[in-house]
Amino acid sequence: MKRHLAQGDDYKSTGDGLVERLQDWETVAALVLAAATDTATEAESQGLHTAHSCKNLAVLLRSKVKLEPAEAQRRARLVHELPALPATRERMYAGEISGRHALVIADAVKRIPSERKDEAEQYLARVAPTMHPRDLMLTGKYLRSVLDPDGTFRDEQEAVARRELRMASDQDGSLHLKGVFPLIAGQKIKTVLDALAKPRTVDGEKDPRTAGQRYADAFEEVIDLAMATGDLPETGGRRPTVVVTMDFEKLLAMLGSGSTATGDAVSAGLVRQMCCDAGILPTVLGGDSEPLDLGRERRTASVAQRKALAVRDKGCAFPGCDRPPGWTEAHHVWHWIDGGPTDLDNLVLLCVHHHHVMHEQEWRIVFEHGIPSFIPPRWIDVEQKPLRNIRVDYPLTL
């Protein structure tokens, strides 16, 4: 192996030869892990973790071998669980499966009725070399459903009992979520977020957002939809609403910041964007910090206006976007906070993502024969040619 690394002759192999070499190295890795598991087993039997003032074998592997905590736990599990899995141990020690395969089998067998464990372990060990660990996990679940149908129901009930969602804000006001959802609830959440988190192009350019950012935006979009329905239960005698307070003169001048009811700071630019949102109630203050306007009359589009916008824009009007009308917000072209009216010729439907784009970048909107066209910033198109969503040229009636 050292000679191979020193020679660096992989370039001499091509095509299937390289694939075979990759497979060979995985076999070597499995054999090395098997040997390391034997050594770790002997270390534990001799009580080396106690001699080195470590709580257990996993801590010893972290401390002395410098393994990541998760990997150290996996190695310790192999030491403890392989002796009860002879067929799996044989496959792993032959270099046919990885340690992850072995642990997937161990997890699956634990949930099989005791009288069928040996049969299940032998079957899973036999098929493991033909699939990667995730597929093997799904196979184990299916096997469990066949051998122990009642166990599937028990799993579902246990998952329901474990459900939880925790929320905490950090020092800059960002919200951190950590949750566990049972199968069906999780599938519903994943299906919706997957649909909303698909990459979107801007003037043919690749979506610059990371996958994590796209899913965060998708989650916010779902919340916006829920708030826009008006069907949420009241809290404190009012529908769920975010209140942001800011000095009126500073807001006009785009200076300083506002604050939420929890005391978190919000930039003037973000407050201006919020003024388009039905779920945000801006409170602007005069010179003596007295409320001047708590949500100006007709700040948001009426039901009739929303219907008219849906007929005209057919969803998010941003070029290339395919979000339907129900997933959009009514954006003021001439900002509401600057005195812009809530009229059809000053409103355009935008999804949450492109609403951010309009407020944060240098795009402009103009109306041509009553239809919104978008003028990109110069760094996207030097000539700044107006662009339009192709859907607006097709008829739509409600």
Side-chain angles (χ1 to χ4, degrees):
M1 187 182 298
K2 287 184 177 179
R3 184 171 63 255
H4 165 79
L5 293 175
Q7 292 175 348
D9 59 354
D10 280 330
Y11 69 93
K12 296 180 181 179
S13 299
T14 59
D16 292 341
L18 275 177
V19 173
E20 291 177 3
R21 178 165 288 192
L22 287 171
Q23 294 170 337
D24 289 343
W25 286 126
E26 287 306 308
T27 298
V28 170
L31 292 172
V32 170
L33 179 59
T37 301
D38 276 348
T39 303
T41 300
E42 183 61 27
E44 185 175 55
S45 68
Q46 292 186 20
L48 284 186
H49 56 286
T50 301
H52 287 273
S53 302
C54 295
K55 180 181 179 181
N56 52 40
L57 175 62
V59 176
L60 176 71
L61 294 174
R62 286 164 48 190
S63 174
K64 298 301 179 182
V65 188
K66 307 305 180 187
L67 295 182
E68 291 281 353
E71 179 61 21
Q73 288 289 351
R74 284 192 287 268
R75 299 283 186 92
R77 283 190 59 198
L78 288 172
V79 168
H80 300 147
E81 299 186 27
L82 276 178
L85 303 169
T88 303
R89 186 179 189 279
E90 181 180 350
R91 292 284 187 178
M92 180 174 156
Y93 277 61
E96 297 177 3
I97 63 174
S98 68
R100 290 184 180 274
H101 285 90
L103 292 178
V104 167
I105 294 174
D107 289 335
V109 170
K110 288 176 185 176
R111 308 185 76 82
I112 300 293
S114 57
E115 66 274 12
R116 309 294 296 272
K117 284 184 183 293
D118 291 345
E119 177 187 357
E121 191 251 334
Q122 291 172 11
Y123 172 78
L124 291 173
R126 186 170 68 254
V127 301
T130 67
M131 58 186 67
H132 54 69
R134 176 165 177 77
D135 283 348
L136 183 61
M137 178 190 70
L138 296 176
T139 301
K141 287 184 176 181
Y142 174 74
L143 187 63
R144 166 86 182 297
S145 69
V146 172
L147 299 179
D148 184 22
D150 291 339
T152 300
F153 175 76
R154 291 195 299 272
D155 288 348
E156 292 171 350
Q157 297 306 303
E158 291 173 4
V160 170
R162 290 197 307 271
R163 72 189 186 283
E164 68 171 1
L165 179 64
R166 298 179 182 274
M167 301 185 291
S169 298
D170 58 23
Q171 61 183 6
D172 69 358
S174 295
L175 181 67
H176 295 251
L177 300 175
K178 184 177 182 181
V180 177
F181 298 90
L183 176 63
I184 299 303
Q187 288 294 314
K188 289 191 289 187
I189 294 170
K190 188 175 186 302
T191 298
V192 172
L193 294 183
D194 282 347
L196 293 175
K198 292 179 180 178
R200 306 183 213 171
T201 59
V202 176
D203 193 26
E205 296 294 325
K206 181 181 178 181
D207 194 326
R209 299 173 297 167
T210 65
Q213 289 171 335
R214 287 189 280 107
Y215 275 91
D217 291 345
F219 186 83
E220 181 186 3
E221 201 165 341
V222 171
I223 298 302
D224 287 338
L225 277 170
M227 295 181 73
T229 64
D231 295 329
L232 296 178
E234 293 184 353
T235 173
R238 65 190 304 175
R239 298 295 183 189
T241 306
V242 177
V243 178
V244 178
T245 304
M246 186 173 182
D247 179 87
F248 183 61
E249 296 299 330
K250 290 183 178 179
L251 181 57
L252 288 177
M254 287 286 287
L255 298 173
S257 60
S259 63
T260 65
T262 58
D264 293 304
V266 181
S267 70
L270 185 54
V271 173
R272 292 169 71 90
Q273 178 180 335
M274 287 175 170
C275 290
C276 295
D277 196 318
I280 306 295
L281 197 60
T283 303
V284 293
L285 305 178
D288 297 326
S289 294
E290 295 179 352
L292 288 177
D293 190 359
L294 189 63
R296 184 193 304 165
E297 182 72 16
R298 292 192 67 237
R299 177 176 59 87
T300 59
S302 66
V303 173
Q305 287 176 319
R306 287 283 310 197
K307 289 182 178 179
L309 287 169
V311 171
R312 187 194 72 190
D313 297 344
K314 304 173 180 65
C316 178
F318 197 91
C321 188
D322 61 357
R323 287 290 186 264
W327 297 86
T328 61
E329 300 167 343
H331 166 70
H332 289 73
V333 178
W334 176 14
H335 292 315
W336 175 86
I337 198 63
D338 292 330
T342 306
D343 297 331
L344 289 179
D345 58 2
N346 191 50
L347 295 173
V348 62
L349 293 183
L350 294 173
C351 66
V352 172
H353 170 63
H354 288 122
H355 202 169
H356 281 292
V357 169
M358 292 304 305
H359 280 274
E360 295 172 2
Q361 298 182 14
E362 299 174 5
W363 287 81
R364 292 187 294 112
I365 299 175
V366 296
F367 286 89
E368 299 177 326
H369 306 292
I371 302 299
S373 293
F374 293 72
I375 300 177
R378 289 191 179 278
W379 55 270
I380 291 180
D381 178 11
V382 176
E383 297 181 1
Q384 293 189 294
K385 295 180 180 179
L387 302 172
R388 199 158 71 188
N389 193 310
I390 192 172
R391 290 184 304 185
V392 302
D393 294 320
Y394 293 94
L396 173 68
T397 57
L398 295 182

